[in-house]
Amino acid sequence: YWTDFIFQAMFAATGATIVSGAVAERIKLNSFLVFTTIFVALVYTIAGSWKWGGGWLDQMGFYDFAGSTLVHSVGGWGALAGVIALGPRLGKYVDGKIKGIAGHNMPLAAIGVFLLWLGWFGFNGGSVLSADPELVSLVFVTTCLAASTGILGAMLTSWLIQNKPDLSMVLNGMLAGLVGITAGADTVSVNAAMLIGLVAGAIVVGAVLLIDRAKLDDPVGAISVHLVCGVWGTLAVGIFSVNSEHSFVTQLIGVLAYGAFVFPAALAIFFGIKATLGLRVSAEE
């Protein structure tokens, strides 16, 4: 059906927009649009074909229901490449110290994340590719509960580490749970979905802090949410899937293959644009 084309187009767009959060506040618009066009046209389509086009990973038995790896970690690898090529925002790392640059409107950020949670029912529910009530209902429940436990995991972890619950971490925990469940939403139990979300929520807090400490400036935590938790969600299929044919080793091979292809490709595109159009806006802008 033609609907599958437009559905896949939205997945491709998602892969590109993940990168936008990581490079926010310092990239030239025209340069980002050029990157997006090349990344989606060449990198995303080749990588996507390995599984969803019946390619070599599909034949090997690699499983990714709605894109923890094919969409989220592909976008996450692109985001990591962009952050490296661009460098940090001015005033972020001063005299070897990390300066937090707070979001200007947390209620608006919360509304945005709730919109994403709602959209994920289309993202994961639509990946059933039919209106099968049994499977769609399972996917809705695993998706929702993973987001919920992602919130809990991030809130408790940030509370333990920072001595207070951190709203920005909680919002990323919600997304972390959603990214984590996306690979196996149709093939894990409800209890496993809750555990996957809980672990994702905890992981994302640590990842945000470690990436900041590595002086990689990712304003919205896109690398932590989409790359780190995308990898976790893909590997979780090999641990929790009710289908005995899903293997942890095969899942790991898939994760490594996508990283080995997408990250260098994205890095090459970004450095190519940097050498020609330039990447950063001026200090005044």
Side-chain angles (χ1 to χ4, degrees):
Y1 296 110
W2 278 104
T3 43
D4 194 41
F5 164 75
I6 204 70
F7 185 62
Q8 284 290 336
M10 291 301 100
F11 274 42
T14 302
T17 56
I18 286 164
V19 182
S20 69
V23 298
E25 303 194 322
R26 61 211 192 276
I27 197 166
K28 289 181 178 178
L29 179 62
N30 61 336
S31 298
F32 180 71
L33 294 174
V34 170
F35 168 79
T36 300
T37 304
I38 300 169
F39 189 67
V40 173
L42 299 178
V43 181
Y44 178 86
T45 47
I46 292 168
S49 73
W50 292 351
K51 165 60 186 169
W52 290 338
W56 67 279
L57 278 173
D58 187 52
Q59 290 166 21
M60 187 185 281
F62 176 76
Y63 194 74
D64 189 356
F65 172 63
S68 284
T69 284
L70 273 81
V71 177
H72 295 283
S73 59
V74 164
W77 286 118
L80 179 60
V83 166
I84 291 168
L86 255 181
R89 289 169 291 173
L90 298 175
K92 175 64 179 173
Y93 304 115
V94 182
D95 299 326
K97 293 179 181 174
I98 301 166
K99 279 187 69 179
I101 301 174
H104 78 288
N105 189 327
M106 292 312 289
L108 200 60
I111 291 168
V113 174
F114 276 119
L115 286 169
L116 281 167
W117 191 345
L118 178 65
W120 231 282
F121 291 120
F123 199 99
N124 283 4
S127 292
V128 175
L129 301 180
S130 77
D132 176 348
E134 187 176 353
L135 200 51
V136 169
S137 63
L138 172 67
V139 169
F140 278 2
V141 171
T142 55
T143 298
C144 194
L145 289 179
S148 304
T149 54
I151 289 170
L152 289 173
M155 184 170 73
L156 293 171
T157 307
S158 66
W159 212 328
L160 284 169
I161 294 174
Q162 301 170 306
N163 297 319
K164 60 177 181 177
D166 182 323
L167 178 60
S168 67
M169 291 293 196
V170 167
L171 295 174
N172 271 342
M174 185 195 302
L175 295 177
L178 289 163
V179 170
I181 196 58
T182 292
D186 68 328
T187 191
V188 300
S189 69
V190 169
N191 288 337
M194 289 192 283
L195 185 57
I196 290 167
L198 191 71
V199 172
I203 287 173
V204 81
V205 175
V208 166
L209 297 173
L210 285 172
I211 286 167
D212 216 16
R213 203 167 287 174
K215 295 193 167 52
L216 295 169
D217 185 16
D218 177 2
V220 300
I223 298 165
S224 305
V225 169
H226 298 280
L227 175 54
V228 175
C229 294
V231 168
W232 157 242
T234 306
L235 296 178
V237 172
I239 302 168
F240 297 106
S241 175
V242 296
N243 186 334
S244 59
E245 292 179 9
H246 296 153
S247 149
F248 181 84
V249 173
T250 306
Q251 297 300 103
L252 180 61
I253 290 168
V255 164
L256 294 173
Y258 277 97
F261 171 63
V262 176
F263 178 64
L267 212 53
I269 298 166
F270 270 120
F271 276 109
I273 295 168
K274 189 175 185 177
T276 50
L277 296 172
L279 277 179
R280 283 184 78 110
V281 296
S282 68
E284 185 183 0
E285 285 171 305

